[in-house]
Amino acid sequence: MSTASTGGARSHARAQAHQAELRVPAVPGDVDPSTLFWAETIPADGYATKVLARGSRIRLIDVDGGACAHLLLYRTEAPWERLNIADTMKVPWQAYLGAGHPLLSDQGRVLATVVADSSGHHDMLCGPDDTGRRLLLLGVIKHGMDIRDVAPSVSLFRGVRVDPSSGALEFTGSAAPGAAVDLLIHLPVVLVVANAAHPLDPDPPATALDVLGWKAGEQLSTLSNHDPEYLRALQNTEAVVAAW
């Protein structure tokens, strides 16, 4: 089909659209459908971005066991404040992400908390490969930012551990198909996520990532992490909320 004319280009584009397969994730049984505002499948080497309100709950699902979600967060009304991976490891005294772990900004505030995790295979040490960085850049450009704003990201569903003897990084792969991570959002944020290979993965399987989002503001008052560092970061966060 020729695309040399406007009519030919239109016909070609419409033919491509008819051939595309679009899968919308099903609403899980533990989510009230009336609260759902986001349901999207991100293919391998794809990305998505969304502006999220305080009290949003986001579930990322490694449907077939081959996704790797590289995640960045920016405070919506002040995007110079964003996810800081160094503080996210340093402040909770834990380099390995899991349930209860805060995702901290460079101002000592909680942007999100990991409230559920059935994977346990994550990484905050390596960041994405070149494809992942390019996809994250495409996401931040949509919000008026540029390559300078593509900071180190957290990588979900692909694990890395540090050998205690040698200090070498050991790639531990994925947990299993269907593993999921839930994030509870504490401040309005721009979320950018790229589904791209992990740089240490010797044979990236490249499968889709499902993302669901729903309103769960009532859960902000029922968090179970009582570590003093976490509570101090929460106080910093709530001080911003109180000033709105």
Side-chain angles (χ1 to χ4, degrees):
M1 185 180 297
S2 173
T3 59
S5 66
T6 302
R10 179 181 60 194
S11 298
H12 179 267
R14 289 178 176 177
Q16 296 294 105
H18 286 309
Q19 293 173 9
E21 293 183 7
L22 177 63
R23 181 177 63 81
V24 178
V27 181
D30 61 338
V31 177
D32 179 353
S34 68
T35 66
L36 191 74
F37 62 82
W38 189 12
E40 182 173 351
T41 294
I42 305 172
D45 294 336
Y47 76 96
T49 179
K50 184 76 75 173
V51 178
L52 301 172
R54 170 177 162 87
S56 301
R57 182 159 174 160
I58 304 302
R59 178 170 297 167
L60 300 105
I61 308 169
D62 182 7
V63 183
D64 298 311
C68 184
H70 304 284
L71 187 75
L72 291 173
L73 296 170
Y74 305 83
R75 188 172 154 199
T76 303
E77 72 275 21
W80 48 265
E81 181 176 359
R82 70 276 308 269
L83 175 65
N84 185 291
I85 292 297
D87 285 351
T88 294
M89 291 188 283
K90 179 179 66 178
V91 173
W93 305 93
Q94 177 57 264
Y96 303 131
L97 203 67
H101 203 121
L103 300 183
L104 296 171
S105 78
D106 51 356
Q107 302 298 306
R109 288 186 270 263
V110 183
L111 298 178
T113 297
V114 179
V115 289
D117 177 19
S118 63
S119 172
H121 287 236
H122 312 301
D123 171 36
M124 294 192 289
L125 299 170
C126 297
D129 65 357
D130 289 342
T131 297
R133 282 191 291 272
R134 177 179 60 81
L135 294 169
L136 291 172
L137 174 59
L138 291 175
V140 304
I141 285 174
K142 289 188 172 181
H143 301 278
M145 295 180 278
D146 59 35
I147 188 60
R148 296 171 295 179
D149 300 293
V150 181
S153 62
V154 59
S155 301
L156 304 177
F157 306 119
R158 282 291 181 273
V160 170
R161 289 292 186 268
V162 178
D163 183 281
S165 300
S166 67
L169 297 178
E170 298 179 343
F171 181 68
T172 61
S174 69
V181 175
D182 283 22
L183 305 176
L184 186 62
I185 305 300
H186 290 256
L187 288 173
V189 296
V190 172
L191 179 149
V192 182
V193 58
N195 180 17
H198 190 281
L200 296 186
D201 195 336
D203 186 22
T207 61
L209 172 75
D210 279 1
V211 185
L212 296 162
W214 64 96
K215 299 175 183 178
E218 72 285 353
Q219 296 177 11
L220 288 169
S221 61
T222 62
L223 295 168
S224 58
N225 187 336
H226 300 294
D227 291 342
E229 296 85 359
Y230 181 76
L231 295 178
R232 185 162 59 249
L234 274 185
Q235 290 173 355
N236 294 339
T237 306
E238 294 305 314
V240 172
V241 176
W244 288 348

